[in-house]
C-alpha cells in the first residue's frame, strides 16, 4: 500500500507532466526524473517525438515506437532488439553499434542514418528507406530487405548472409568486401554498384542488373546469374566457378583474369570469345564441354 509521502510525490509528478503539455519525450523524461537507460524496456512510445534526443546505451528492448519521430537522435549502442519501429522516422539518426536484432523496421525511414557495426540480424527492413545510410560493418544476416530502397547506401564490409534483397535498389551502392553468401538478390538493381572483393558465393542473382558494376576480385562461385545483365561490368580477377550464366549478358564486360570453371549456360563459341578477352577457364582441358545454347 502506498504511503502518504509517496502518493504526494506521485501526484506532483503527474501534475508536472500534465502542465508541461508536451509529447516530447526529452521534456517528459526530465520532468519525471526517469532513467532512459533502464525505464523504457517494453514501453509504449507510439507516435512519440524523440527528435534530436540523446539516448545512448538506453534499454528499449521490445518497445513500441511505431510512427515515432526519432529524426537526428543520438542512439548509439541502444538496445532495440525485438522493438517495433515500423513507419518511424529515424532519418539522420546515429545508431552506431545499436542492437536492432529481430526488430520491426517495416517502412521505416532510415535515410542517411549512421548504422556502422549495428546488429540487424533477422530484422524486418522490408520497404524501408535506407538511401544514403551508412551500414559499414553492420550484420544484416537473414534480415528481410525486400522492397527496401538502398540507393547510394554504404554496406562495405557488412554481413548479408542469407539476407533477402530481392528486387532492391542498390544503384551506386558501396558493397565492397561485403558477404552475400546465399543471399537472395533476384531482380536486384545493382547498376554501378561497387562489389569489389565481395563474397557472392551461392547467391541468387537471377535477372539481376549488374551493368557497369565493379566486381573485381569478387567471389561468385556457385551463384545463379541466369538472365542477369553484366554489360560493361568489371569482372577482372573475379572467381566464377560453378556459375549458371544461361541467358546472361556480358557484352562489353571486362573479363581479364576472371576465373571460370564448370560453367553452365554458355556455348563453345562464347567460351572461346571470353578466352580472347582475357578470361581463364581452369577446366580448359575438359573435352566434355558441350554447347548449352545456340550461337
Amino acid at each position: 500500500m502506498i504511503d502518504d509521502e509517496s502518493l504526494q510525490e506521485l501526484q506532483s509528478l503527474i501534475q508536472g507532466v500534465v502542465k508541461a503539455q508536451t509529447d516530447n519525450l526529452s521534456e517528459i523524461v526530465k520532468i519525471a526524473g526517469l532513467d532512459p537507460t533502464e525505464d523504457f524496456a517494453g514501453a509504449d512510445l507510439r507516435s512519440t517525438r524523440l527528435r534530436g534526443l540523446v539516448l545512448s546505451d538506453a534499454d528499449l528492448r521490445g518497445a513500441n515506437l511505431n510512427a515515432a519521430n526519432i529524426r537526428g537522435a543520438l542512439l548509439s549502442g541502444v538496445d532495440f532488439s525485438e522493438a517495433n519501429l515500423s513507419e518511424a522516422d529515424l532519418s539522420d539518426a546515429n545508431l552506431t553499434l545499436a542492437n536492432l536484432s529481430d526488430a520491426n523496421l517495416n517502412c521505416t525511414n532510415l535515410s542517411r542514418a549512421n548504422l556502422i557495426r549495428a546488429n540487424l540480424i533477422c530484422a524486418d527492413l522490408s520497404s524501408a528507406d535506407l538511401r544514403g545510410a551508412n551500414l559499414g560493418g553492420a550484420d544484416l544476416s537473414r534480415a528481410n530487405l525486400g522492397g527496401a530502397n538502398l540507393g547510394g547506401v554504404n554496406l562495405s564490409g557488412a554481413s548479408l548472409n542469407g539476407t533477402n534483397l530481392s528486387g532492391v535498389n542498390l544503384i551506386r551502392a558501396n558493397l565492397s568486401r561485403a558477404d552475400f553468401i546465399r543471399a537472395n538478390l533476384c531482380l536486384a538493381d545493382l547498376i554501378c554498384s561497387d562489389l569489389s572483393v565481395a563474397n557472392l558465393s551461392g547467391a541468387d542473382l537471377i535477372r539481376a542488373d549488374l551493368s557497369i558494376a565493379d566486381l573485381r576480385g569478387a567471389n561468385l562461385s556457385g551463384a545463379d546469374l541466369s538472365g542477369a545483365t553484366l554489360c560493361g561490368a568489371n569482372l577482372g580477377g573475379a572467381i566464377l566457378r560453378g556459375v549458371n550464366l544461361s541467358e546472361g549478358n556480358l557484352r562489353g564486360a571486362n573479363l581479364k583474369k576472371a576465373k571460370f570453371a564448370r560453367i553452365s549456360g554458355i556455348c563453345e563459341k562464347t567460351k572461346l570469345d571470353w578466352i580472347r578477352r582475357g578470361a581463364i577457364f581452369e577446366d580448359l582441358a575438359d573435352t566434355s564441354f558441350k554447347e548449352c545454347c545456340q550461337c
Side-chain angles (χ1 to χ4, degrees):
M1 186 173 180
I2 192 167
D3 56 42
D4 291 341
E5 184 177 350
S6 297
L7 181 60
Q8 187 175 356
E9 289 179 0
L10 179 59
Q11 288 174 337
S12 297
L13 176 60
I14 293 171
Q15 288 174 3
V17 173
V18 172
K19 286 179 181 178
Q21 294 183 337
T22 179
D23 63 351
N24 189 311
L25 186 61
S26 299
E27 298 300 320
I28 294 173
V29 167
K30 291 177 183 177
I31 295 166
L34 297 172
D35 184 354
T37 64
E38 298 179 357
D39 297 332
F40 290 100
D44 188 347
L45 298 166
R46 285 174 292 179
S47 303
T48 305
R49 288 196 298 121
L50 296 119
R51 183 170 180 173
L53 183 68
V54 178
L55 276 176
S56 296
D57 301 312
D59 185 355
L60 285 156
R61 288 172 295 168
N64 187 353
L65 289 143
N66 171 251
N69 183 350
I70 321 176
R71 184 174 183 177
L74 179 56
L75 302 163
S76 57
V78 172
D79 190 348
F80 281 115
S81 56
E82 300 184 5
N84 180 9
L85 290 149
S86 59
E87 301 180 344
D89 186 355
L90 280 155
S91 56
D92 299 298
N94 185 346
L95 289 148
T96 304
L97 293 169
N99 182 2
L100 290 145
S101 58
D102 294 293
N104 181 0
L105 292 150
N106 172 254
C107 295
T108 301
N109 185 356
L110 286 155
S111 56
R112 301 175 304 281
N114 185 348
L115 288 147
I116 292 175
R117 295 173 63 192
N119 178 359
L120 288 141
I121 296 173
C122 294
D124 181 3
L125 288 146
S126 54
S127 301
D129 185 354
L130 286 149
R131 288 175 296 175
N134 189 348
L135 286 145
D139 193 342
L140 295 105
S141 299
R142 303 184 303 284
N144 180 14
L145 284 149
N149 190 337
L150 292 104
V153 72
N154 176 25
L155 281 161
S156 177
S159 296
L160 296 107
N161 300 327
T163 300
N164 177 26
L165 293 149
S166 177
V168 298
N169 173 10
L170 282 160
I171 296 174
R172 296 186 180 86
N174 182 358
L175 311 171
S176 60
R177 296 177 291 104
D179 285 334
F180 291 94
I181 300 171
R182 294 182 297 279
N184 181 3
L185 286 151
C186 176
L187 294 169
D189 196 342
L190 293 146
I191 297 172
C192 295
S193 61
D194 182 357
L195 283 154
S196 56
V197 203
N199 189 347
L200 291 145
S201 56
D204 180 353
L205 287 151
I206 296 172
R207 296 175 63 192
D209 194 343
L210 291 143
S211 300
I212 325 176
D214 185 353
L215 287 150
R216 287 175 298 170
N219 183 0
L220 289 145
S221 298
D224 191 343
L225 285 153
S226 54
T229 301
L230 292 117
C231 297
N234 189 346
L235 286 155
I239 301 169
L240 297 104
R241 301 186 182 104
V243 171
N244 182 359
L245 280 162
S246 58
E247 299 183 10
N249 187 347
L250 279 77
R251 187 177 64 253
N254 174 21
L255 302 175
K256 189 174 182 179
K257 295 185 179 180
K259 299 177 180 67
F260 293 90
R262 304 181 305 281
I263 303 303
S264 60
I266 64 169
C267 63
E268 185 70 20
K269 183 178 178 181
T270 298
K271 180 178 179 179
L272 294 173
D273 175 58
W274 290 0
I275 290 172
R276 284 193 291 268
R277 288 161 60 185
I280 299 169
F281 278 82
E282 297 173 334
D283 53 358
L284 186 62
D286 183 3
T287 57
S288 65
F289 184 88
K290 299 178 181 178
E291 292 192 1
C292 301
C293 63
Q294 293 183 348
C295 295

